[in-house]
Amino acid sequence: MSIISVSRVTYTYPQREVPAVKNVSFSLEAGSYTAVVGLNGSGKSTLARIMSGLLDADEGGVQAAEGIRTALVFQSPKDQIICGIVSRDVAFGPQNLGLSAGEVELRTIECLNITGLLSKASSPSMALSLGQTQKEALAGIIALRPDVLVLDEAVAMLDPQSRSEIFRFLSYWVGRGNTVVHITHDVDAVRQADDVILLQDGEIVFHGSRKSFFADSTLCGLITGGDIGKSDRTDKQSSEITLACTGVSFSYGGGTVLSNINFSLRRGTLTALTGVSGSGKSTLLEIAAGLLVPGTGTVHCAARPVLCQQNSEAALFEQFAADDVAFGPRNGGVSGKALVSRVRQAMDKAGIPFASYADRQTFTLSGGEKRRLAVAGIIALDSPVVLFDEPTAGLDGPSRVKVMNLLRELAQEGRTVMFSTHRRDEADFADRELAVINGTILRDTDGESLREQIPQTVQQPLAGTKLLEMLRENAAGMNAAEKNTGPVARMKPVLKFLVFLSLFTASLAVRPLYACAALLCASLVYAAFAKYPAKRLLGSLGRVIPLLLFFCIFQMIFYPAVPGERVFVPYKYFTVTPSKLMLCLTTLIHTEAALTCIVSFTYTTPEYDIVDGLSVLLKPLALLRVPVRYTIVIVEIIFRFIPLLLDEAASIIKTQLIRGGLGKAKGAGGRIKAMLPLFVPLIIQTIKRSEALADALTERCFS
């Protein structure tokens, strides 16, 4: 029985002349598993969004059988996360369906277990690796138990073991009579399907069985691009060490990520860095590039390495593709014909030809095209040590082969190249494999020790790493309260709210000086019971004093004196009197007491306690049929959205630093000019995140 039909669907994006999908028609049977394949930019993701109802077709339409629910797992997993805590995010959809608390909990545990995230149930969503975030996004959607599950590259960031586990689940899911549509470039994913749809330039050029697809070598070759194989070792290898880590360890928020990392890389070699999702590969690459400062150990390098990050969206600043690739070389002093030549060469090497893409607007590119453009921007820096974090994730087969051959070509040119990967064929393609297991390198297919030749130059952190550290701490700090074991932290959520609101309101409301002083003392006692670090509290209170003194000046000017009182300092409109001094003093005490309450409350109260406390406090209104659910969801979104934007800002700053955009600014004007490439993409990303959040709420059945 046909469960969903796509009939003559055509869609063209605004400001684009060529349709993304054109005259697409097919139908799906209940219990079927269909893989939709095609090159980057062929219209696959657009079709997925039309099928799930996030886009309305310009022509044609999608008809589903009565009562059928279709749900989409986004290509960018961070866009799909609503709540700041993993378990709460998975539970968000079932709660919107109006299920009982017991059923919501059962589905949450089941879906976390299926995706291998049960041990991360109480972790902040921001603390997960990109692969783990992909699992969280998948868990949140399958918790809805949709009849038609649409996956848009939902396993692209997963390690082989996790991918196999998801495939087993999908097989089980289809066996229960559900329907799966898998948008993918992964050949292993295609092998799980019953039927295959091949899109080319927005049109269906093949729709048939999996067996027929693989039997046609021409069609299959369009997607796979051929096997990468095992290439010969580069003939440019030398004994010169260009990058080495000795005894490197690193921790996030007290949790050890890397421990005693030791390796050295030679000039002209291609090295694969492997490990499961969340093993610390990205962290190690950022340490090597100078974006993170190791807790212990040192990084030695003959020349500063450059890093191409996973998040290609954050790596693009300029409006046009060629201008974006030129950003780094221009900051390095390259100009004129030399700049054009380098940009052209980098774009052609990265498989995003200068002739075709130079004048393309970056925001109109597909996900795969953006990734190739980000690679071009790093190649254009012409560094002798180049690092890539999952450079082939989300790419179609031919593009993946081109990128791997590009990495080999860079090594052949005498550069030192290291890349992270989850793919076994890519690891085998390299000269050497370093496997990160449980935070340390436990397998090294070379392992030759050349410590006596390690460069004398010690890697210095890039300018701006302190800002990155601050952003990371603020993003993580919104849910760090779960580790606090003080008396206040152990209170029930509603009691935490009542104590905080009572002290906070009183600290602002009382007027007599003695009462203000008493409330300040009470706030300090509250901070002590919250186990808020005294040094940190004094720093927070001290930082606001200059601002308060500034406002006191305004009070001296505009606040009227009491008739007949003594005037200490008469100067035109500025007068100092006992009543004004009393006002300034009480304002100072009011503010410091209120601030003490706020920082102590946030230090002891994670997101889930705030949401739970609000739920209890607003329950009387809920009984009166006031829609308090909206208020609670808004709070959850705030706790998710602010850290997400901080993380987005950090990603943009990282790429800016790598490409020389922030470190050389001089003077106030220079710093403002240097920051423009940060604010513009951050504003654009904020808008995009807001739009994605609206789509995520729709997909998670919030109305």
Side-chain angles (χ1 to χ4, degrees):
M1 180 185 71
S2 176
I3 193 172
I4 189 168
S5 297
V6 177
S7 178
R8 305 182 66 82
V9 163
T10 298
Y11 181 82
T12 305
Y13 284 100
Q15 301 179 353
R16 294 289 298 273
E17 296 180 0
V18 179
V21 292
K22 183 179 179 182
N23 198 29
V24 170
S25 298
F26 61 89
S27 60
L28 302 175
E29 303 297 316
S32 63
Y33 189 153
T34 303
V36 179
V37 298
L39 301 180
N40 292 124
S42 61
K44 303 183 304 299
S45 295
T46 303
L47 178 60
R49 295 176 71 82
I50 292 172
M51 290 180 65
S52 62
L54 294 178
L55 287 177
D56 293 326
D58 297 331
E59 299 176 20
V62 178
Q63 295 82 36
E66 186 177 353
I68 294 301
R69 178 183 294 119
T70 302
L72 169 67
V73 180
F74 295 170
Q75 186 174 24
S76 175
K78 288 186 178 181
D79 290 343
Q80 193 130 27
I81 310 303
I82 302 294
C83 304
I85 301 297
V86 173
S87 61
R88 289 183 173 263
D89 185 73
V90 177
F92 182 78
Q95 288 171 343
N96 292 331
L97 296 178
L99 302 177
S100 66
E103 177 65 17
V104 169
E105 183 178 7
L106 182 64
R107 288 196 185 189
T108 301
I109 294 173
E110 179 186 28
C111 295
L112 287 173
N113 189 47
I114 288 169
T115 54
L117 287 180
L118 195 56
S119 63
K120 299 287 186 180
S122 60
S123 299
S125 299
M126 293 298 301
L128 302 184
S129 70
L130 194 55
Q132 291 169 329
T133 305
Q134 199 161 43
K135 291 181 179 181
E136 181 183 353
L138 176 59
I141 289 298
I142 62 178
L144 296 168
R145 296 187 179 171
D147 304 284
V148 180
L149 176 62
V150 184
L151 308 171
D152 191 359
E153 290 289 352
V155 298
M157 300 292 179
L158 300 185
D159 56 83
Q161 180 180 344
S162 298
R163 198 158 55 239
S164 296
E165 291 170 355
I166 297 303
F167 289 156
R168 282 197 295 272
F169 160 73
L170 293 176
S171 178
Y172 159 77
W173 190 256
V174 171
R176 292 179 55 182
N178 298 296
T179 302
V180 171
V181 179
H182 199 159
I183 311 294
T184 184
H185 296 126
D186 191 311
V187 175
D188 291 333
V190 178
R191 289 195 176 100
Q192 309 299 313
D194 303 316
D195 298 303
V196 179
I197 294 175
L198 172 60
L199 288 179
Q200 192 171 44
D201 297 327
E203 298 183 85
I204 293 179
V205 295
F206 174 84
H207 184 188
S209 68
R210 176 191 64 214
K211 183 178 180 180
S212 299
F213 176 76
F214 281 109
D216 191 325
S217 58
T218 302
L219 287 176
C220 192
L222 288 173
I223 304 307
T224 63
D227 294 331
I228 292 176
K230 181 69 175 78
S231 67
D232 297 329
R233 279 174 171 258
T234 174
D235 55 14
K236 295 291 185 179
Q237 286 190 28
S238 73
S239 60
E240 177 191 354
I241 301 297
T242 54
L243 178 66
C245 288
T246 57
V248 167
S249 299
F250 188 83
S251 299
Y252 276 125
T256 300
V257 179
L258 298 172
S259 177
N260 195 30
I261 297 290
N262 294 280
F263 67 86
S264 55
L265 303 180
R266 290 172 294 188
R267 182 169 61 84
T269 56
L270 179 62
T271 302
L273 187 64
T274 62
V276 300
S277 300
S279 61
K281 302 186 300 298
S282 297
T283 301
L284 180 55
L285 290 173
E286 290 191 6
I287 290 173
L291 293 170
L292 291 175
V293 181
T296 60
T298 54
V299 178
H300 302 263
C301 56
R304 182 174 293 282
V306 294
L307 170 64
C308 184
Q309 298 183 85
Q310 277 184 351
N311 184 2
S312 56
E313 292 276 357
L316 308 177
F317 323 115
E318 303 289 352
Q319 182 179 4
F320 297 101
D323 290 337
D324 197 87
V325 178
F327 182 86
R330 188 182 288 117
N331 288 328
V334 183
S335 60
K337 292 183 179 179
L339 178 62
V340 175
S341 176
R342 187 181 292 190
V343 170
R344 183 187 300 275
Q345 186 179 30
M347 292 182 70
D348 290 346
K349 275 187 176 182
I352 188 159
F354 180 88
S356 303
Y357 286 89
D359 296 328
R360 289 277 299 275
Q361 293 185 326
T362 54
F363 72 90
T364 66
L365 302 180
S366 70
E369 290 167 337
K370 288 177 180 176
R371 181 166 290 275
R372 295 201 298 272
L373 185 63
V375 169
I378 293 300
I379 294 172
L381 294 172
D382 199 27
S383 171
V385 183
V386 193
L387 312 174
F388 295 90
D389 196 359
E390 295 283 353
T392 64
L395 294 183
D396 55 55
S399 297
R400 189 168 72 94
V401 172
K402 287 178 181 177
V403 168
M404 293 308 300
N405 287 331
L406 168 63
L407 301 189
R408 172 60 65 192
E409 182 183 344
L410 294 175
Q412 290 281 8
E413 292 173 357
R415 306 193 206 194
T416 303
V417 183
M418 181 163 68
F419 67 99
S420 64
T421 182
H422 288 310
R423 294 179 176 270
R424 174 43 47 193
D425 59 341
E426 293 179 3
D428 291 339
F429 181 82
D431 302 323
R432 177 183 179 189
E433 178 186 354
L434 299 175
V436 181
I437 303 172
N438 296 327
T440 192
I441 294 176
L442 289 186
R443 186 171 73 252
D444 185 346
T445 57
D446 186 332
E448 183 180 352
S449 177
L450 296 169
R451 292 185 180 278
E452 69 278 1
Q453 299 181 35
I454 287 177
Q456 296 299 309
T457 305
V458 176
Q459 170 79 296
Q460 298 299 317
L462 287 164
T465 52
K466 289 184 177 180
L467 176 59
L468 290 173
E469 178 69 22
M470 182 190 71
L471 291 173
R472 187 170 62 249
E473 287 180 354
N474 287 336
M478 295 188 72
N479 289 296
E482 62 186 82
K483 299 178 182 178
N484 192 314
T485 58
V488 176
R490 294 197 301 269
M491 290 180 180
K492 291 184 177 181
V494 67
L495 186 57
K496 283 186 186 180
F497 252 104
L498 292 174
V499 171
F500 163 69
L501 289 175
S502 299
L503 278 174
F504 179 74
T505 304
S507 66
L508 294 177
V510 295
R511 291 300 175 196
L513 182 60
Y514 71 88
C516 292
L519 260 299
L520 177 59
C521 291
S523 299
L524 293 173
V525 171
Y526 174 55
F529 279 111
K531 287 193 173 182
Y532 195 86
K535 184 177 180 180
R536 189 169 162 186
L537 178 62
L538 290 174
S540 299
L541 297 179
R543 280 193 290 269
V544 301
I545 288 178
L547 182 62
L548 292 174
L549 293 177
F550 178 75
F551 279 108
C552 284
I553 294 174
F554 278 88
Q555 288 178 324
M556 295 297 179
I557 296 174
F558 296 107
Y559 191 77
V562 175
E565 70 176 333
R566 183 180 178 183
V567 178
F568 297 121
V569 179
Y571 181 76
K572 296 184 179 179
Y573 296 107
F574 182 86
T575 58
V576 179
T577 67
S579 63
K580 291 187 178 184
L581 287 174
M582 186 65 68
L583 176 63
C584 291
L585 185 58
T586 54
T587 300
L588 180 65
I589 296 175
H590 275 312
T591 306
E592 298 289 25
L595 180 60
T596 301
C597 291
I598 292 171
V599 296
S600 301
F601 177 71
T602 55
Y603 185 71
T604 56
T605 313
E607 174 206 336
Y608 48 81
D609 273 2
I610 292 177
V611 173
D612 288 347
L614 268 178
S615 299
V616 175
L617 289 175
L618 298 177
K619 196 170 184 178
L621 295 178
L623 294 175
L624 296 174
R625 299 188 180 278
V626 176
V628 299
R629 171 74 171 153
Y630 295 109
T631 303
I632 295 170
V633 170
I634 288 171
V635 171
E636 288 187 302
I637 289 173
I638 290 171
F639 275 97
R640 167 62 182 165
F641 205 69
I642 293 176
L644 188 64
L645 290 182
L646 292 175
D647 182 64
E648 198 77 52
S651 295
I652 295 171
I653 291 172
K654 287 175 186 176
T655 309
Q656 286 272 333
L657 293 174
I658 291 167
R659 295 169 69 180
L662 296 175
K664 297 180 180 179
K666 294 181 180 180
R671 284 193 292 271
I672 292 173
K673 184 178 179 181
M675 293 297 285
L676 285 178
L678 167 62
F679 289 121
V680 173
L682 186 58
I683 291 170
I684 293 173
Q685 286 299 98
T686 301
I687 295 171
K688 288 183 177 179
R689 292 293 186 191
S690 300
E691 293 173 345
L693 179 62
D695 289 341
L697 289 169
T698 300
E699 286 301 300
R700 307 287 286 281
C701 301
F702 179 76
S703 59

